[in-house]
Amino acid sequence: MPVIRTPERTAPESRDEGRGRGPSVSRRFRWALLAALGFVIVPSVYAVAVLTPAGQRIEDAALGGVRESDLFGSDTALNVISVPVILLLVVVIAAVAFARRRLAVGLGAGFVVLASAATSTLLKRIAERPEIAQSTTPNSFPSGHATIALAASFAVLMVTPRRFRPVVLVVGAVYAVFVANQTVVYGWHRVSDIVGACAVALFWLGLVRALGPQVDRGVRGDRDGRRGPRRVVTVVLLVAVGAALVVGVVALLVGTAGDGDHDAMLLAGRMASSASVLAAITAVWLADGMHHVPPTTSASAPPVRV
């Protein structure tokens, strides 16, 4: 005899997933498009910001505002990122996925972290910085710290039940923005390094989500919960990106006026880095469909035969 699920255990029905049939082509296409975007951004940013005298001068101007008495009194957020911590994170992600019976998803999430870290390290070796603008600061493209911070956030999202993703995403966004700001304030990285890091993490996440195992299978653990928190997260992300861009542009205009204001240029660099990280996280949030999926806890949903 067939087993009948109660309404509250009904599979989620969204615009992209239809009655247990798995992810539609459009969803996989969105992730593939995100991967393609990251693939294009890396060489484009490198060509404009690193291989041209104008790009190097603008970015190096922000480094002139770096001082020993910086905004952050601790570099704990940066020191957390190390090889042992990365490996431990991968193990924890796999364990969570195994507990949810999503081991393939956990392996895919771990691959996102390891592949992103490896790609960032490789690019540092092959993407050299030519001395064409009297710059004495060595090559730093892309930022390994920012790459891992973003890739780790994306990987954790993959193994997190959908109803908890708004909270996990906000925490991950705050940490990733903090890391990006610290690397710029300390003079470790330029804006292009952060943008390149975002693109690397987006590429691997998009590739795994497009070609890898299905993350959300439409069962109880994949419920989206209430729409209110998701709408709030969507608005906060969009407003944060816009605010960072506006402040960054104003700071850039002030910094380039007259003899130049190094503090304003540093602020512009920080805001541009923050906007890049927030834009990448927003793109993942939208690609995951968390901003529009209807609630999946309706008691009026029909039962599903399993």
Side-chain angles (χ1 to χ4, degrees):
M1 295 180 64
V3 179
I4 306 298
R5 283 184 177 172
T6 57
E8 57 270 17
R9 296 177 66 90
T10 298
E13 183 178 339
S14 69
R15 299 178 188 178
D16 297 304
E17 295 179 11
R19 304 184 188 277
R21 292 178 301 179
S24 66
V25 175
S26 61
R27 169 160 293 188
R28 289 191 181 273
F29 177 76
R30 287 204 301 269
W31 288 113
L33 187 62
L34 207 62
L37 182 64
F39 185 81
V40 171
I41 288 177
V42 171
S44 300
V45 171
Y46 176 72
V48 173
V50 181
L51 298 183
T52 65
Q56 287 195 8
R57 283 195 295 268
I58 292 175
E59 289 204 302
D60 289 343
L63 297 180
V66 174
R67 298 184 301 272
E68 294 183 2
S69 57
D70 50 60
L71 177 65
F72 303 103
S74 172
D75 57 357
T76 303
L78 298 178
N79 292 334
V80 165
I81 299 176
S82 61
V83 174
V85 171
I86 295 173
L87 296 178
L88 177 61
L89 175 65
V90 172
V91 172
V92 171
I93 288 173
V96 172
F98 180 79
R100 298 187 63 218
R101 299 179 181 179
R102 308 286 177 85
L103 184 57
V105 175
L107 294 177
F111 179 79
V112 169
V113 177
L114 296 178
S116 298
T119 301
S120 181
T121 301
L122 179 62
L123 286 176
K124 281 181 182 294
R125 297 181 180 276
I126 64 177
E128 299 181 354
R129 186 179 183 85
E131 298 179 2
I132 55 179
Q134 298 180 346
S135 174
T136 59
T137 306
N139 179 51
S140 57
F141 180 90
S143 167
H145 285 82
T147 300
I148 295 172
L150 273 171
S153 299
F154 296 158
V156 172
L157 279 175
M158 286 182 63
V159 299
T160 300
R162 289 182 69 87
R163 63 183 181 275
F164 298 132
R165 285 181 196 171
V167 175
V168 173
L169 180 132
V170 170
V171 173
V174 171
Y175 178 73
V177 169
F178 194 74
V179 167
N181 268 267
Q182 278 194 321
T183 59
V184 173
V185 169
Y186 289 169
W188 290 9
H189 288 289
R190 306 169 178 86
V191 176
S192 63
D193 303 336
I194 307 301
V195 177
C198 295
V200 169
L202 282 179
F203 169 75
W204 285 113
L205 175 69
L207 194 65
V208 170
R209 291 295 300 268
L211 304 178
Q214 181 180 339
V215 171
D216 300 317
R217 299 184 302 190
V219 296
R220 184 179 179 86
D222 296 329
R223 293 181 304 176
D224 291 288
R226 299 180 178 179
R227 281 183 275 191
R230 288 179 284 142
R231 286 175 174 174
V232 170
V233 171
T234 303
V235 172
V236 168
L237 287 174
L238 295 175
V239 171
V241 173
L245 287 175
V246 170
V247 174
V249 170
V250 173
L252 180 62
L253 294 176
V254 173
T256 54
D259 296 333
D261 187 330
H262 291 302
D263 291 337
M265 291 299 295
L266 178 59
L267 177 60
R270 289 177 53 206
M271 290 298 100
S273 300
S274 299
S276 301
V277 171
L278 291 170
I281 293 174
T282 302
V284 171
W285 175 261
L286 298 178
D288 207 17
M290 294 295 295
H291 62 298
H292 65 64
V293 179
T296 58
T297 57
S298 174
S300 61
V304 177
R305 295 179 181 272
V306 296

